[in-house]
């Protein structure tokens, strides 16, 4: 009888995994020549997988130039000057702080240092030592500690808590150096999630952000996970937070896309419901996000975050032409959800891009029919 139950379980598992494995195999090109899924993304001018930039969600040439300079020379002054000239109220400062902190964290991971060897990210330590009152350097250091905690330690362990407590103190110092800047408080949202702030304490932190930047998309993206089921809230609380943000979104704001992020945070690990990605809840959230990117300013730096998540949902919903339209805007950069959850973000993005191209061409599309 026990063997029978094992066989039944194996058969059921096969039904669940077979469509996934078939799709995955097709996406990476293991198909006969001439098969529609063998279409070449390069025909659309897309970047090669090895050329995809995992540091940023979208283009920011000033940031890219300074990042390259800092990492090549190990001189922090370019980063200091760029942040000093970046407005505190906008979205771009938050993204630039994240990028500098991420670059330093990755450098340290690649070159941890040893006897007679300088550890990676030394330029950030020099920056803090030489300019302790610089608000930009203080914010980057706080974000660096947060990323180090998530990257090198396990939530719930003493090591994780020690790093997060240090990050919390660094956020407080950065906030004192720039009283009107929401970024130090936005960074602390990740600390709040990691250290399991009580709800009242989290809401007090959130009010500080709303006082400074009520429509800050990056802040809402950073706050949402706290309210999710896998952290300190529930599906209902997360949806309520996202829908309230969308409801009060001013015209041209990307906050209208927040429900799509809430849906993503609560996707089932194995989808047993046929047509889930064509369901009403997903369709409504996708339409809200599409409206948001169509209404947003072309230079809004957070639109790339929304477009990347749209690629994920549009491909899964087999809305190939719409997925291609998003890819034409964001291709080349993959430093955003959902790709950053993968150990190899560029590869994960390339799989979805290949699926979009294959589906588009299988339904009569070609480079000539795609709007540019």
């Amino acid at each position: 009888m026990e063997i029978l139950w094992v066989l039944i379980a194996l058969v059921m598992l096969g039904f669940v995994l077979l469509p996934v494995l078939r799709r995955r195999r097709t996406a990476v090109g293991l198909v006969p020549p001439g098969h529609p899924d063998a279409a070449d993304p390069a025909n659309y001018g897309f970047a090669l997988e090895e050329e995809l930039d995992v540091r940023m969600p979208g283009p920011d040439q000033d940031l890219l130039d300074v990042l390259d300079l800092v990492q090549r020379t190990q001189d922090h002054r370019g980063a200091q000057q760029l942040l000093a000239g970046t407005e505190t109220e906008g979205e771009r400062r938050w993204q630039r702080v994240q990028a500098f902190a991420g670059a330093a964290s990755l450098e340290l991971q690649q070159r941890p240092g040893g006897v007679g060897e300088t550890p990676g990210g030394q330029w950030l330590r020099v920056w803090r030592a030489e300019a302790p009152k610089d608000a930009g350097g203080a914010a980057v250091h706080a974000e660096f500690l947060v990323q180090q905690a998530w990257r090198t330690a396990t939530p719930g362990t003493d090591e994780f808590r020690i790093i997060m407590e240090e990050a919390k103190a660094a956020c407080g110092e950065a906030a004192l150096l720039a009283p009107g800047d929401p970024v130090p408080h936005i960074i602390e949202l990740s600390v709040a999630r990691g250290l399991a702030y009580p709800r009242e304490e989290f809401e007090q932190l959130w009010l500080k952000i709303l006082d400074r930047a009520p429509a800050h998309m990056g802040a809402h993206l950073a706050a949402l996970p706290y309210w999710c089921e896998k952290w300190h809230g529930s599906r209902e609380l997360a949806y309520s937070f996202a829908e309230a943000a969308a409801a009060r979104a001013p015209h041209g704001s990307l906050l209208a896309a927040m429900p799509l992020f809430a849906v993503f945070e609560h996707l089932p690990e194995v989808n047993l419901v046929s047509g889930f990605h064509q369901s009403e809840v997903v369709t409504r959230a996708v339409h809200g996000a599409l409206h948001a990117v169509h209404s947003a300013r072309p230079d809004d730096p957070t639109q790339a975050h929304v477009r990347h998540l749209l690629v994920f949902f549009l491909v899964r919903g087999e809305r190939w032409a719409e997925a291609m339209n998003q890819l034409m805007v964001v291709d080349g950069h993959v430093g955003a959800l959902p790709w950053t959850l993968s150990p190899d973000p560029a590869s994960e993005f390339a799989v979805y891009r290949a699926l979009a191209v294959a589906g588009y061409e299988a339904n009569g599309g070609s480079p000539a029919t795609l709007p540019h």
Side-chain angles (χ1 to χ4, degrees):
M1 188 68 177
E2 191 173 318
I3 294 176
L4 179 60
W5 282 113
V6 171
L7 289 174
I8 292 172
L10 288 173
V11 170
M12 291 180 67
L13 185 62
F15 277 116
V16 170
L17 293 180
L18 186 58
V20 177
L21 293 175
R22 279 179 175 167
R23 173 167 290 187
R24 185 79 177 189
R25 185 185 66 178
T26 301
V28 296
L30 299 180
V31 292
H35 189 284
D37 286 353
D40 186 359
N43 293 336
Y44 295 82
F46 292 144
L48 297 174
E49 182 178 328
E50 57 269 25
E51 296 173 346
L52 294 170
D53 193 329
V54 302
R55 297 173 296 179
M56 298 180 288
D60 182 343
Q61 194 58 49
D62 289 340
L63 172 61
L64 188 60
D65 291 342
V66 171
L67 262 178
D68 290 341
L69 176 66
V70 168
Q71 294 190 299
R72 186 176 69 254
T73 65
Q74 291 295 296
D75 187 337
H76 68 275
R77 286 175 294 182
Q80 183 176 351
Q81 292 169 3
L82 183 65
L83 285 182
T86 304
E87 63 174 356
T88 58
E89 295 81 10
E91 305 277 357
R92 200 173 296 280
R93 184 177 179 84
W94 168 66
Q95 293 198 163
R96 288 176 171 177
V97 166
Q98 282 193 312
F100 285 129
S105 181
L106 285 172
E107 278 187 37
L108 183 58
Q109 182 181 24
Q110 293 163 359
R111 301 194 309 277
V115 179
E117 182 185 0
T118 302
Q122 181 67 19
W123 55 269
L124 178 55
R125 287 181 282 277
V126 173
W127 185 357
R128 294 296 294 130
E130 292 186 352
K133 300 300 182 182
D134 180 65
V140 172
H141 179 238
E143 175 66 22
F144 168 81
L145 291 170
V146 167
Q147 294 195 26
Q148 281 295 100
W150 292 111
R151 195 187 304 275
T152 65
T154 302
T157 63
D158 289 342
E159 181 186 7
F160 181 83
R161 175 167 289 277
I162 288 169
I163 302 174
M164 277 297 190
E165 291 287 359
E166 188 180 354
K168 182 178 181 179
C171 288
E173 183 179 351
L176 288 174
L177 291 171
D181 186 355
V183 170
H185 302 295
I186 296 173
I187 296 169
E188 193 180 348
L189 290 170
S190 187
V191 176
R193 174 163 53 99
L195 293 181
Y197 280 21
R199 192 162 296 173
E200 182 179 351
E201 185 177 355
F202 183 88
E203 289 176 341
Q204 289 173 353
L205 172 62
W206 183 240
L207 285 175
K208 292 178 183 178
I209 295 169
L210 291 183
D211 285 344
R212 291 162 176 79
H216 199 291
M217 180 66 177
H220 285 78
L221 292 177
L224 176 63
Y226 178 91
W227 296 111
C228 290
E229 193 171 61
K230 58 190 172 186
W231 287 103
H232 311 298
S234 65
R235 181 189 300 266
E236 291 72 26
L237 284 170
Y239 277 35
S240 176
F241 174 80
E243 288 165 2
R248 67 172 181 270
H251 177 71
S253 168
L254 287 161
L255 289 177
M258 284 302 301
L260 188 63
F261 287 86
V263 170
F264 176 76
E265 290 285 356
H266 294 89
L267 285 178
E269 290 188 16
V270 179
N271 179 19
L272 299 177
V273 181
S274 177
F276 171 77
H277 288 275
Q278 289 88 24
S279 66
E280 182 181 353
V281 64
V282 174
T283 299
R284 187 168 63 246
V286 167
H287 284 170
L290 286 169
H291 173 74
V293 295
H294 290 155
S295 304
R297 299 190 325 271
D299 62 342
D300 189 322
T302 57
Q303 68 165 296
H305 290 276
V306 181
R307 291 186 186 276
H308 279 291
L309 199 60
L310 275 169
V311 170
F312 173 86
F313 277 100
L314 292 170
V315 167
R316 287 196 166 197
E318 299 181 2
R319 296 167 64 168
W320 312 116
E322 291 169 291
M324 292 293 287
N325 288 334
Q326 301 306 318
L327 285 167
M328 295 297 290
V329 180
V330 299
D331 187 73
H333 300 85
V334 294
L337 287 174
W339 327 121
T340 50
L341 296 179
S342 167
D344 188 349
S347 176
E348 189 73 9
F349 174 82
V351 166
Y352 275 78
R353 186 176 65 182
L355 276 170
V357 170
Y360 181 64
E361 295 195 353
N363 286 275
S366 71
T369 61
L370 189 66
H372 288 74

